[in-house]
């Protein structure tokens, strides 16, 4: 379980393709502290550490993960948002995030405002996911608040700290991001469908 508060950025150092899997090696400030079998969110995707060496760690993404997230689009040199799993005795500063990406979305608008940034994302509503005005949404692993919720799109407003310390600084129109919808909203939506 995660909080959506990004610890650090990592840089993709290597990608190895094996059958339907991709082994992703990331260099980061926290890589040396990680242990094999530890869960770490990469752009909001919970992946298991399979190797640690020389300030880098490696995780494996299987076909299911590649199909439902932007992990399959990663390139060497690209930045990823990293968060280790939450500690049960710590504050929950973001919101409850499972690290299970529901679907991807595409950035359709990007506006630099006076001291902040606004992004608009469009997603496929046929998958049954919904956003709620002032509700929580997780984008590339970042806990954010929904603004201007529509049937198939929403916006988020970004403060300078988040912009500077996450890979949102590289998101522009056409960029594909990972979405994890609010867990409570998902359960309510499922109950309403029944």
């Amino acid at each position: 379980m995660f909080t959506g508060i990004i610890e650090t950025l990592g840089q993709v150092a290597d990608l190895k393709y094996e059958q339907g899997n991709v082994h992703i090696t990331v260099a980061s400030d926290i890589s040396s502290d990680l242990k094999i079998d530890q869960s770490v969110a990469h752009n909001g995707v919970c992946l298991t550490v399979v190797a640690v060496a020389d300030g880098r760690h490696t995780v494996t993404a299987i076909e299911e993960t590649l199909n439902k997230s932007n992990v399959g689009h990663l390139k060497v040199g690209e930045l990823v948002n990293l968060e280790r799993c939450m500690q049960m005795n710590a504050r929950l500063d973001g919101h409850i995030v499972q690290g299970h990406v529901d679907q991807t979305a595409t950035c359709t608008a990007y506006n630099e405002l006076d001291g902040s940034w606004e992004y608009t994302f469009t997603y496929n509503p046929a998958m049954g996911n919904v956003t709620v005005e002032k509700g929580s949404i997780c984008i590339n692993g970042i806990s954010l608040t929904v603004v201007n919720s529509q049937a198939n799109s929403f916006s988020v407003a970004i403060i300078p700290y988040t912009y500077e310390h996450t890979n949102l600084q590289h998101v522009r129109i056409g960029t594909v991001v990972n979405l994890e919808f609010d867990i409570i909203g998902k359960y309510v939506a499922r109950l309403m469908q029944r």
Side-chain angles (χ1 to χ4, degrees), residues 21-111:
N21 303 333
V22 179
H23 305 289
I24 305 158
T25 300
V26 177
S28 77
D29 295 343
I30 65 171
S31 293
S32 296
D33 298 332
L34 299 177
K35 295 177 177 42
I36 291 173
D37 204 29
Q38 191 170 4
S39 295
V40 179
H42 295 69
N43 278 355
V45 180
C46 179
L47 297 170
T48 302
V49 176
V50 296
V52 177
D54 303 323
R56 298 175 175 193
H57 68 276
T58 301
V59 293
T60 301
I62 62 173
E63 189 173 358
E64 169 78 3
T65 303
L66 299 171
N67 289 339
K68 289 195 173 172
S69 72
N70 68 4
V71 172
H73 301 281
L74 291 175
K75 295 176 178 58
V76 171
E78 202 165 328
L79 296 177
V80 292
N81 295 324
L82 298 176
E83 180 190 359
R84 287 178 277 193
C85 58
M86 69 179 274
Q87 297 178 345
M88 293 307 287
N89 63 345
R91 296 186 199 284
L92 180 61
D93 289 325
H95 72 280
I96 296 172
V97 176
Q98 294 181 299
H100 304 158
V101 171
D102 295 304
Q103 65 186 96
T104 58
T106 302
C107 179
T108 54
Y110 162 82
N111 294 305

Coordinates of all heavy atoms in Angstrom, one line a residue, residues 21-111:
N21 N 7.8 -10.2 -20.9 CA 8.2 -9.4 -19.8 C 9.2 -8.3 -20.1 O 10.0 -8.5 -21.1 CB 8.8 -10.3 -18.6 CG 7.8 -11.4 -18.2 OD1 6.6 -11.2 -18.3 ND2 8.4 -12.5 -17.7
V22 N 9.3 -7.3 -19.3 CA 10.4 -6.3 -19.4 C 11.0 -6.2 -18.1 O 10.4 -5.9 -17.1 CB 9.8 -4.9 -19.9 CG1 11.0 -3.9 -20.0 CG2 9.1 -5.0 -21.2
H23 N 12.4 -6.3 -18.0 CA 13.1 -6.1 -16.8 C 13.6 -4.6 -16.9 O 14.4 -4.3 -17.8 CB 14.3 -7.1 -16.7 CG 13.9 -8.5 -16.8 ND1 13.2 -9.1 -15.8 CD2 14.0 -9.4 -17.8 CE1 13.0 -10.4 -16.2 NE2 13.4 -10.6 -17.4
I24 N 13.2 -3.8 -15.9 CA 13.5 -2.4 -15.9 C 14.5 -2.1 -14.8 O 14.3 -2.4 -13.6 CB 12.2 -1.6 -15.7 CG1 11.2 -2.0 -16.7 CG2 12.5 -0.1 -15.7 CD1 9.8 -1.7 -16.2
T25 N 15.7 -1.5 -15.2 CA 16.7 -1.2 -14.2 C 16.6 0.4 -14.1 O 16.7 1.1 -15.0 CB 18.1 -1.6 -14.7 OG1 18.1 -3.0 -14.8 CG2 19.1 -1.2 -13.6
V26 N 16.5 0.8 -12.8 CA 16.4 2.2 -12.5 C 17.5 2.6 -11.5 O 17.8 2.0 -10.6 CB 15.0 2.4 -11.8 CG1 14.8 3.9 -11.4 CG2 13.9 2.0 -12.7
A27 N 18.1 3.8 -11.8 CA 19.1 4.4 -10.9 C 18.4 5.5 -10.1 O 17.7 6.4 -10.7 CB 20.2 5.0 -11.7
S28 N 18.5 5.5 -8.8 CA 17.9 6.5 -8.0 C 18.6 6.6 -6.6 O 19.4 5.8 -6.3 CB 16.4 6.1 -7.7 OG 16.3 5.1 -6.7
D29 N 18.2 7.7 -5.9 CA 18.7 7.9 -4.6 C 18.4 6.8 -3.6 O 19.1 6.7 -2.6 CB 18.2 9.3 -4.0 CG 18.7 10.4 -4.8 OD1 19.6 10.3 -5.6 OD2 18.1 11.5 -4.7
I30 N 17.3 6.1 -3.8 CA 16.9 5.1 -2.8 C 17.2 3.7 -3.3 O 17.1 2.7 -2.5 CB 15.3 5.2 -2.6 CG1 14.5 4.9 -3.8 CG2 15.0 6.5 -2.0 CD1 13.0 4.7 -3.6
S31 N 17.7 3.5 -4.5 CA 18.0 2.1 -5.0 C 18.9 1.3 -4.1 O 18.6 0.1 -3.8 CB 18.6 2.2 -6.4 OG 17.7 2.7 -7.3
S32 N 20.0 1.9 -3.5 CA 20.9 1.2 -2.7 C 20.3 0.7 -1.4 O 20.7 -0.2 -0.7 CB 22.1 2.0 -2.4 OG 22.8 2.3 -3.6
D33 N 19.2 1.4 -0.9 CA 18.5 1.1 0.3 C 17.5 0.0 0.1 O 17.0 -0.6 1.1 CB 17.8 2.3 0.9 CG 18.8 3.4 1.3 OD1 20.0 3.1 1.6 OD2 18.4 4.6 1.2
L34 N 17.2 -0.4 -1.1 CA 16.1 -1.3 -1.4 C 16.6 -2.7 -1.2 O 17.8 -3.0 -1.2 CB 15.6 -1.2 -2.8 CG 15.0 0.2 -3.1 CD1 14.5 0.2 -4.6 CD2 13.8 0.5 -2.2
K35 N 15.7 -3.7 -0.9 CA 16.0 -5.1 -0.7 C 15.2 -5.9 -1.8 O 14.1 -5.5 -2.2 CB 15.6 -5.5 0.7 CG 16.4 -4.8 1.7 CD 15.9 -5.2 3.1 CE 16.8 -4.7 4.2 NZ 17.1 -3.3 4.1
I36 N 15.8 -7.0 -2.2 CA 15.1 -7.9 -3.1 C 13.8 -8.3 -2.5 O 13.7 -8.6 -1.3 CB 16.0 -9.1 -3.4 CG1 17.2 -8.6 -4.3 CG2 15.2 -10.2 -4.2 CD1 18.2 -9.6 -4.6
D37 N 12.7 -8.4 -3.2 CA 11.4 -8.8 -2.8 C 10.6 -7.6 -2.2 O 9.5 -7.8 -1.8 CB 11.4 -10.0 -1.9 CG 10.1 -10.7 -1.9 OD1 9.4 -10.7 -3.0 OD2 9.7 -11.3 -0.9
Q38 N 11.1 -6.4 -2.2 CA 10.4 -5.2 -1.7 C 9.5 -4.6 -2.8 O 9.9 -4.6 -4.0 CB 11.5 -4.2 -1.3 CG 10.9 -3.1 -0.5 CD 12.0 -2.2 0.1 OE1 13.2 -2.4 -0.1 NE2 11.6 -1.2 0.9
S39 N 8.4 -4.1 -2.4 CA 7.5 -3.5 -3.3 C 7.8 -2.0 -3.4 O 7.9 -1.3 -2.4 CB 6.0 -3.7 -2.8 OG 5.7 -5.0 -2.9
V40 N 7.9 -1.5 -4.7 CA 8.1 -0.1 -4.9 C 7.2 0.3 -6.1 O 7.1 -0.4 -7.1 CB 9.6 0.1 -5.3 CG1 9.8 1.6 -5.6 CG2 10.5 -0.3 -4.2
A41 N 6.5 1.5 -5.9 CA 5.7 2.0 -6.9 C 6.6 2.8 -7.9 O 7.3 3.6 -7.6 CB 4.6 2.9 -6.4
H42 N 6.4 2.4 -9.2 CA 7.1 3.1 -10.3 C 6.0 3.7 -11.2 O 5.2 3.0 -11.8 CB 7.9 2.1 -11.2 CG 9.0 1.4 -10.4 ND1 8.8 0.5 -9.4 CD2 10.4 1.6 -10.6 CE1 10.0 0.1 -8.9 NE2 11.0 0.7 -9.6
N43 N 5.9 5.0 -11.2 CA 4.8 5.7 -11.9 C 3.5 5.2 -11.4 O 2.5 5.1 -12.2 CB 4.9 5.6 -13.4 CG 5.9 6.6 -14.0 OD1 6.4 7.5 -13.3 ND2 6.1 6.5 -15.3
G44 N 3.4 4.8 -10.1 CA 2.2 4.3 -9.5 C 1.9 2.8 -9.7 O 0.9 2.3 -9.2
V45 N 2.8 2.1 -10.3 CA 2.7 0.7 -10.6 C 3.5 -0.1 -9.5 O 4.7 0.1 -9.4 CB 3.1 0.3 -12.0 CG1 3.0 -1.2 -12.2 CG2 2.4 1.0 -13.0
C46 N 2.9 -0.9 -8.7 CA 3.6 -1.6 -7.7 C 4.4 -2.8 -8.4 O 3.8 -3.6 -9.0 CB 2.6 -2.2 -6.7 SG 3.3 -3.2 -5.4
L47 N 5.7 -2.7 -8.3 CA 6.6 -3.7 -8.9 C 7.5 -4.2 -7.8 O 7.9 -3.5 -6.9 CB 7.4 -3.1 -10.0 CG 6.5 -2.6 -11.2 CD1 7.4 -1.8 -12.2 CD2 5.8 -3.8 -11.9
T48 N 7.9 -5.5 -7.9 CA 8.8 -6.1 -7.0 C 10.3 -6.0 -7.4 O 10.6 -6.3 -8.5 CB 8.4 -7.6 -6.8 OG1 7.0 -7.7 -6.4 CG2 9.3 -8.3 -5.8
V49 N 11.1 -5.6 -6.4 CA 12.5 -5.5 -6.7 C 13.1 -6.9 -6.8 O 12.9 -7.8 -5.9 CB 13.2 -4.7 -5.5 CG1 14.7 -4.7 -5.7 CG2 12.7 -3.3 -5.4
V50 N 13.8 -7.2 -7.9 CA 14.4 -8.5 -8.2 C 15.9 -8.5 -8.1 O 16.6 -9.5 -8.0 CB 13.9 -9.1 -9.5 CG1 12.4 -9.3 -9.5 CG2 14.3 -8.2 -10.7
A51 N 16.5 -7.3 -8.2 CA 18.0 -7.1 -8.1 C 18.3 -5.7 -7.6 O 17.6 -4.8 -7.9 CB 18.6 -7.4 -9.4
V52 N 19.5 -5.6 -6.9 CA 20.0 -4.3 -6.4 C 21.5 -4.4 -6.6 O 22.1 -5.3 -6.1 CB 19.6 -4.0 -4.9 CG1 20.2 -2.7 -4.5 CG2 18.1 -4.0 -4.7
A53 N 22.1 -3.4 -7.2 CA 23.5 -3.3 -7.4 C 23.9 -1.9 -7.9 O 23.3 -1.4 -8.8 CB 24.0 -4.4 -8.3
D54 N 25.0 -1.4 -7.4 CA 25.6 -0.2 -7.9 C 24.7 1.0 -8.0 O 24.7 1.7 -9.0 CB 26.3 -0.4 -9.3 CG 27.3 -1.6 -9.3 OD1 28.0 -1.6 -8.3 OD2 27.3 -2.4 -10.2
G55 N 23.9 1.2 -7.0 CA 23.0 2.4 -7.0 C 21.8 2.2 -8.0 O 21.2 3.2 -8.3
R56 N 21.5 1.0 -8.3 CA 20.4 0.7 -9.3 C 19.6 -0.4 -8.7 O 20.1 -1.3 -8.0 CB 21.0 0.4 -10.7 CG 21.7 1.5 -11.3 CD 22.3 1.0 -12.6 NE 23.0 2.1 -13.3 CZ 23.4 2.0 -14.5 NH1 23.2 0.9 -15.2 NH2 24.0 3.1 -15.1
H57 N 18.4 -0.5 -9.1 CA 17.5 -1.7 -8.8 C 16.8 -2.1 -10.0 O 16.5 -1.3 -10.9 CB 16.6 -1.4 -7.6 CG 15.5 -0.4 -8.0 ND1 15.7 1.0 -7.9 CD2 14.2 -0.6 -8.4 CE1 14.5 1.6 -8.3 NE2 13.6 0.7 -8.6
T58 N 16.4 -3.4 -10.1 CA 15.7 -3.9 -11.2 C 14.4 -4.5 -10.8 O 14.3 -5.1 -9.7 CB 16.5 -5.0 -11.9 OG1 17.8 -4.4 -12.3 CG2 15.8 -5.6 -13.1
V59 N 13.3 -4.2 -11.6 CA 12.0 -4.8 -11.4 C 11.6 -5.4 -12.7 O 12.1 -5.1 -13.7 CB 11.0 -3.7 -10.9 CG1 11.3 -3.1 -9.5 CG2 10.9 -2.5 -11.9
T60 N 10.6 -6.3 -12.6 CA 10.1 -7.0 -13.8 C 8.6 -6.6 -14.0 O 7.8 -6.8 -13.0 CB 10.2 -8.5 -13.7 OG1 11.6 -8.8 -13.5 CG2 9.7 -9.2 -14.9
A61 N 8.2 -6.2 -15.2 CA 6.8 -5.9 -15.5 C 6.4 -7.0 -16.5 O 7.0 -7.3 -17.5 CB 6.7 -4.6 -16.2
I62 N 5.3 -7.7 -16.1 CA 4.7 -8.7 -16.9 C 3.7 -8.2 -17.9 O 3.4 -7.0 -17.9 CB 4.1 -9.8 -16.1 CG1 2.9 -9.3 -15.3 CG2 5.1 -10.5 -15.1 CD1 2.1 -10.3 -14.5
E63 N 3.2 -9.0 -18.8 CA 2.4 -8.6 -19.9 C 1.1 -7.8 -19.4 O 0.7 -6.8 -20.0 CB 1.9 -9.8 -20.8 CG 1.2 -9.4 -22.0 CD 1.0 -10.6 -22.9 OE1 1.4 -11.7 -22.6 OE2 0.4 -10.4 -24.0
E64 N 0.5 -8.3 -18.3 CA -0.7 -7.6 -17.8 C -0.4 -6.2 -17.4 O -1.1 -5.3 -17.7 CB -1.2 -8.4 -16.5 CG -2.2 -7.7 -15.7 CD -3.6 -7.8 -16.3 OE1 -3.8 -8.4 -17.4 OE2 -4.5 -7.2 -15.7
T65 N 0.8 -6.0 -16.7 CA 1.2 -4.7 -16.3 C 1.5 -3.8 -17.5 O 1.1 -2.6 -17.6 CB 2.4 -4.7 -15.5 OG1 2.2 -5.6 -14.3 CG2 2.9 -3.4 -15.0
L66 N 2.1 -4.4 -18.5 CA 2.5 -3.6 -19.8 C 1.2 -3.2 -20.5 O 1.2 -2.1 -21.1 CB 3.4 -4.4 -20.6 CG 4.7 -4.8 -20.0 CD1 5.5 -5.8 -20.9 CD2 5.6 -3.6 -19.7
N67 N 0.2 -4.0 -20.5 CA -1.1 -3.7 -21.2 C -1.9 -2.6 -20.5 O -2.7 -1.9 -21.1 CB -1.9 -5.0 -21.4 CG -1.3 -5.9 -22.4 OD1 -0.5 -5.6 -23.2 ND2 -1.7 -7.2 -22.3
K68 N -1.8 -2.5 -19.2 CA -2.7 -1.6 -18.4 C -2.0 -0.4 -17.9 O -2.7 0.5 -17.3 CB -3.3 -2.4 -17.2 CG -4.3 -3.4 -17.6 CD -5.1 -3.9 -16.4 CE -6.2 -4.7 -16.9 NZ -7.0 -5.4 -15.8
S69 N -0.7 -0.2 -18.2 CA 0.0 1.0 -17.7 C 0.9 1.6 -18.8 O 1.0 1.0 -19.9 CB 0.8 0.6 -16.5 OG 1.9 -0.2 -16.9
N70 N 1.6 2.7 -18.4 CA 2.5 3.3 -19.4 C 3.9 2.7 -19.2 O 4.8 3.2 -19.8 CB 2.5 4.8 -19.2 CG 3.1 5.3 -17.9 OD1 3.6 4.5 -17.1 ND2 3.0 6.6 -17.7
V71 N 4.1 1.7 -18.4 CA 5.4 1.1 -18.2 C 6.0 0.5 -19.5 O 7.2 0.6 -19.7 CB 5.3 0.0 -17.1 CG1 6.6 -0.8 -17.0 CG2 5.0 0.6 -15.7
G72 N 5.2 0.0 -20.3 CA 5.6 -0.5 -21.6 C 6.1 0.6 -22.6 O 6.8 0.3 -23.5
H73 N 5.8 1.9 -22.3 CA 6.3 3.0 -23.1 C 7.6 3.6 -22.6 O 8.1 4.5 -23.2 CB 5.2 4.1 -23.1 CG 3.9 3.7 -23.6 ND1 3.6 3.6 -24.9 CD2 2.8 3.4 -22.9 CE1 2.3 3.2 -25.0 NE2 1.8 3.1 -23.8
L74 N 8.1 3.1 -21.5 CA 9.3 3.7 -20.9 C 10.5 3.5 -21.8 O 10.7 2.5 -22.5 CB 9.7 3.0 -19.6 CG 8.8 3.3 -18.4 CD1 9.2 2.5 -17.2 CD2 8.7 4.8 -18.1
K75 N 11.4 4.5 -21.8 CA 12.6 4.5 -22.6 C 13.8 4.8 -21.7 O 13.7 5.4 -20.6 CB 12.6 5.6 -23.7 CG 11.5 5.4 -24.7 CD 11.4 6.5 -25.7 CE 10.4 6.3 -26.8 NZ 9.0 6.1 -26.3
V76 N 15.0 4.3 -22.1 CA 16.2 4.5 -21.3 C 16.4 6.1 -21.2 O 16.3 6.8 -22.2 CB 17.4 3.8 -22.0 CG1 18.7 4.3 -21.3 CG2 17.3 2.3 -21.9
G77 N 16.7 6.5 -20.0 CA 16.9 7.9 -19.8 C 15.7 8.6 -19.2 O 15.8 9.7 -18.7
E78 N 14.5 8.0 -19.4 CA 13.3 8.6 -18.9 C 13.2 8.6 -17.4 O 13.7 7.7 -16.7 CB 12.1 7.9 -19.5 CG 10.8 8.6 -19.5 CD 9.8 8.0 -20.5 OE1 10.2 7.3 -21.5 OE2 8.6 8.1 -20.2
L79 N 12.5 9.6 -16.8 CA 12.3 9.7 -15.3 C 11.0 9.0 -14.9 O 10.0 9.1 -15.6 CB 12.3 11.1 -14.9 CG 13.6 11.9 -15.1 CD1 13.4 13.4 -14.7 CD2 14.8 11.3 -14.4
V80 N 11.1 8.3 -13.8 CA 9.9 7.6 -13.2 C 9.8 8.1 -11.8 O 10.8 8.4 -11.1 CB 10.0 6.1 -13.3 CG1 9.9 5.6 -14.7 CG2 11.2 5.6 -12.6
N81 N 8.5 8.2 -11.3 CA 8.2 8.6 -9.9 C 8.4 7.3 -9.1 O 7.8 6.3 -9.5 CB 6.8 9.1 -9.8 CG 6.6 10.4 -10.6 OD1 7.5 11.3 -10.6 ND2 5.4 10.6 -11.2
L82 N 9.0 7.4 -8.0 CA 9.3 6.3 -7.1 C 8.7 6.5 -5.7 O 8.9 7.6 -5.2 CB 10.8 6.0 -7.0 CG 11.5 5.6 -8.2 CD1 13.0 5.4 -7.9 CD2 10.9 4.3 -8.9
E83 N 8.1 5.5 -5.1 CA 7.6 5.6 -3.8 C 7.7 4.2 -3.2 O 7.2 3.2 -3.8 CB 6.1 6.0 -3.7 CG 5.7 6.1 -2.2 CD 4.1 6.3 -2.1 OE1 3.5 6.5 -3.1 OE2 3.7 6.4 -0.9
R84 N 8.4 4.1 -2.0 CA 8.3 2.8 -1.3 C 7.0 2.6 -0.6 O 6.3 3.6 -0.3 CB 9.5 2.7 -0.3 CG 10.9 2.6 -0.9 CD 12.0 2.6 0.1 NE 12.3 4.0 0.4 CZ 13.4 4.3 1.0 NH1 14.2 3.4 1.4 NH2 13.6 5.6 1.2
C85 N 6.7 1.4 -0.2 CA 5.4 1.2 0.4 C 5.3 1.9 1.8 O 6.4 2.2 2.4 CB 5.1 -0.3 0.6 SG 6.4 -1.2 1.6
M86 N 4.1 2.2 2.2 CA 4.0 3.0 3.4 C 4.2 2.2 4.6 O 4.1 1.0 4.6 CB 2.6 3.7 3.5 CG 1.4 2.7 3.6 SD -0.2 3.5 3.7 CE -0.2 3.9 5.5
Q87 N 4.6 2.9 5.7 CA 4.8 2.2 7.0 C 3.5 2.4 7.8 O 3.0 3.5 7.8 CB 6.0 2.8 7.7 CG 7.3 2.6 7.0 CD 8.5 3.2 7.7 OE1 8.3 4.1 8.6 NE2 9.7 2.8 7.4
M88 N 3.1 1.4 8.5 CA 1.8 1.5 9.2 C 1.8 2.5 10.3 O 0.8 2.9 10.8 CB 1.4 0.1 9.7 CG 1.1 -0.9 8.5 SD -0.2 -0.2 7.4 CE -1.6 -0.3 8.4
N89 N 3.0 2.9 10.8 CA 3.0 3.8 11.9 C 3.3 5.2 11.4 O 3.7 6.1 12.2 CB 4.1 3.4 12.9 CG 5.5 3.4 12.3 OD1 5.7 3.5 11.1 ND2 6.5 3.3 13.2
A90 N 3.2 5.5 10.1 CA 3.5 6.8 9.6 C 2.2 7.5 9.2 O 1.1 6.9 9.1 CB 4.3 6.6 8.3
R91 N 2.3 8.8 9.0 CA 1.1 9.6 8.6 C 0.7 9.3 7.1 O 1.6 9.0 6.3 CB 1.5 11.1 8.6 CG 1.7 11.6 10.0 CD 1.9 13.2 10.0 NE 2.6 13.7 11.1 CZ 2.1 13.8 12.3 NH1 0.8 13.5 12.5 NH2 2.8 14.3 13.3
L92 N -0.5 9.3 6.9 CA -1.0 9.1 5.5 C -1.2 10.5 4.9 O -2.3 11.1 5.0 CB -2.4 8.3 5.5 CG -3.0 8.0 4.2 CD1 -2.1 7.2 3.3 CD2 -4.3 7.3 4.4
D93 N -0.2 11.0 4.3 CA -0.2 12.4 3.8 C -1.0 12.5 2.5 O -1.5 13.6 2.2 CB 1.2 12.9 3.6 CG 1.9 13.2 4.9 OD1 1.2 13.6 5.8 OD2 3.1 13.0 5.0
G94 N -1.1 11.5 1.7 CA -1.8 11.6 0.4 C -3.2 10.9 0.5 O -4.0 11.5 1.3
H95 N -3.4 9.8 -0.1 CA -4.6 9.0 0.1 C -4.2 7.6 -0.1 O -3.1 7.2 -0.4 CB -5.7 9.5 -0.8 CG -5.5 9.1 -2.3 ND1 -4.7 9.8 -3.2 CD2 -6.1 8.1 -3.0 CE1 -4.8 9.3 -4.4 NE2 -5.6 8.2 -4.3
I96 N -5.1 6.6 0.2 CA -4.8 5.2 0.1 C -4.6 4.8 -1.4 O -5.6 5.0 -2.2 CB -5.9 4.4 0.7 CG1 -6.0 4.7 2.2 CG2 -5.7 2.9 0.5 CD1 -7.1 4.0 2.9
V97 N -3.4 4.4 -1.7 CA -3.1 4.0 -3.1 C -2.6 2.5 -3.1 O -1.8 2.2 -2.2 CB -2.0 4.9 -3.7 CG1 -1.6 4.5 -5.1 CG2 -2.4 6.4 -3.7
Q98 N -3.1 1.7 -3.9 CA -2.8 0.3 -3.9 C -1.6 0.0 -4.8 O -1.0 -1.1 -4.7 CB -4.0 -0.6 -4.3 CG -5.1 -0.5 -3.3 CD -6.2 -1.4 -3.8 OE1 -6.8 -1.2 -4.9 NE2 -6.6 -2.4 -3.0
G99 N -1.3 0.8 -5.8 CA -0.3 0.5 -6.7 C -0.8 -0.3 -7.9 O 0.0 -1.0 -8.6
H100 N -2.1 -0.4 -8.0 CA -2.7 -1.2 -9.1 C -3.4 -0.2 -10.1 O -4.4 0.4 -9.8 CB -3.8 -2.1 -8.5 CG -3.3 -3.0 -7.4 ND1 -4.1 -3.6 -6.5 CD2 -2.0 -3.5 -7.2 CE1 -3.4 -4.3 -5.7 NE2 -2.1 -4.3 -6.1
V101 N -2.7 0.0 -11.2 CA -3.2 1.0 -12.2 C -4.5 0.4 -12.8 O -4.6 -0.7 -13.2 CB -2.1 1.2 -13.2 CG1 -2.6 2.0 -14.4 CG2 -0.9 1.9 -12.6
D102 N -5.5 1.3 -12.8 CA -6.8 0.9 -13.4 C -6.8 1.1 -14.9 O -7.4 0.2 -15.6 CB -7.9 1.8 -12.8 CG -8.1 1.5 -11.4 OD1 -8.3 0.4 -11.0 OD2 -8.0 2.5 -10.6
Q103 N -6.2 2.1 -15.4 CA -6.1 2.4 -16.9 C -5.2 3.6 -17.1 O -4.7 4.2 -16.2 CB -7.5 2.6 -17.5 CG -8.2 3.9 -17.0 CD -9.6 4.0 -17.5 OE1 -10.5 3.7 -16.8 NE2 -9.7 4.6 -18.7
T104 N -5.0 3.8 -18.4 CA -4.1 5.0 -18.7 C -5.0 6.1 -19.2 O -6.2 5.9 -19.5 CB -3.1 4.7 -19.8 OG1 -3.8 4.2 -21.0 CG2 -2.1 3.6 -19.3
A105 N -4.5 7.3 -19.2 CA -5.1 8.5 -19.8 C -4.1 9.3 -20.6 O -2.9 9.1 -20.5 CB -5.7 9.4 -18.6
T106 N -4.7 10.2 -21.4 CA -3.8 11.0 -22.3 C -4.0 12.5 -21.9 O -5.1 12.9 -21.7 CB -4.2 10.8 -23.8 OG1 -4.1 9.4 -24.1 CG2 -3.3 11.6 -24.7
C107 N -2.9 13.2 -21.8 CA -2.9 14.6 -21.5 C -3.5 15.3 -22.7 O -3.0 15.2 -23.9 CB -1.5 15.1 -21.2 SG -1.5 16.9 -20.8
T108 N -4.5 16.1 -22.6 CA -5.2 16.8 -23.7 C -5.0 18.3 -23.5 O -5.3 19.0 -24.5 CB -6.7 16.4 -23.8 OG1 -7.3 16.7 -22.5 CG2 -6.8 15.0 -24.2
A109 N -4.6 18.8 -22.4 CA -4.4 20.2 -22.2 C -3.3 20.4 -21.1 O -3.3 19.7 -20.1 CB -5.6 21.0 -21.9
Y110 N -2.5 21.5 -21.3 CA -1.5 21.8 -20.3 C -1.4 23.3 -20.3 O -1.2 24.0 -21.3 CB -0.1 21.2 -20.8 CG 1.1 21.8 -20.2 CD1 1.5 21.4 -18.9 CD2 1.8 22.8 -20.8 CE1 2.6 22.0 -18.3 CE2 3.0 23.4 -20.2 CZ 3.3 22.9 -19.0 OH 4.5 23.5 -18.4
N111 N -1.6 23.9 -19.1 CA -1.6 25.4 -19.0 C -0.7 25.8 -17.8 O -0.8 25.3 -16.7 CB -3.0 25.9 -18.8 CG -3.9 25.7 -19.9 OD1 -3.5 26.1 -21.0 ND2 -5.0 25.1 -19.7

